[in-house]
Amino acid sequence: MDEMDWALLAELQANSRLSFSELSRRVHLSPPAVAERVRRMEETGVIVGYHAEVELARAGRPVIAFIRMSCYGLACVLRDPAVAQWPEVREIHRITGDACALIKIAVESMIAFEDLIDRLAPYGPPSSTMVLSTPLAHRPVPPPA
């Protein structure tokens, strides 16, 4: 990726709804050249999708937590693709250390949180950390230094 690709990526990370015409105006490149560069970043997997950033609390899911799972073996949460489909599950990370997975969840209430913990228990002992606030929710990827 060159400097122009990074300029395009910075603009798209700030607002992925920009048209090729607007992108071309902002980075001083022709719309066909912008379109070609964006398509190339999509094809090579640099850009993997476009989405709306959602404020979880305003969308009815104000209870956010990270749950560490220590579930090595056949009953591991990482081995069950159904868990990734649960609407409360926002992210699943395979990690190192004393746990095998870190799951970010967002639920509508503490009762829903308790229900989710109960659903995770058959996979191993869940250990949770509640999110009190999020000073940095989303950070664009900058070019390497």
Side-chain angles (χ1 to χ4, degrees):
M1 289 188 35
D2 64 14
E3 199 172 302
M4 183 56 67
D5 288 335
W6 281 106
L8 287 165
L9 198 55
E11 293 294 340
L12 288 170
Q13 287 181 93
N15 182 356
S16 65
R17 297 184 68 183
L18 292 175
S19 67
F20 289 149
S21 296
E22 180 59 21
L23 276 170
S24 73
R25 187 185 69 71
R26 291 183 182 201
V27 300
H28 311 292
L29 198 63
S30 72
V34 165
E36 175 57 34
R37 284 175 173 268
V38 170
R39 276 193 263 287
R40 188 179 70 234
M41 286 190 282
E42 292 169 344
E43 289 169 2
T44 60
V46 173
I47 296 174
V48 295
Y50 300 89
H51 64 275
E53 192 171 337
V54 176
E55 173 57 50
L56 292 168
R58 292 184 183 205
R61 296 184 181 235
V63 179
I64 302 166
F66 288 93
I67 302 171
R68 288 174 309 286
M69 296 295 300
S70 300
C71 52
Y72 302 98
L74 294 178
C76 182
V77 72
L78 295 171
R79 295 178 186 260
D80 187 348
V83 175
Q85 302 305 311
W86 295 357
E88 306 92 342
V89 174
R90 307 306 313 144
E91 300 171 10
I92 300 175
H93 303 274
R94 184 175 183 183
I95 60 173
T96 62
D98 61 351
C100 65
L102 182 66
I103 304 170
K104 181 180 179 181
I105 62 96
V107 294
E108 55 276 358
S109 67
M110 288 305 290
I111 292 170
F113 176 72
E114 192 173 350
D115 289 343
L116 181 62
I117 291 293
D118 290 344
R119 286 174 31 218
L120 286 169
Y123 297 98
S127 174
S128 62
T129 302
M130 302 303 294
V131 174
L132 298 176
S133 67
T134 305
L136 179 61
H138 174 74
R139 185 177 209 173
V141 178

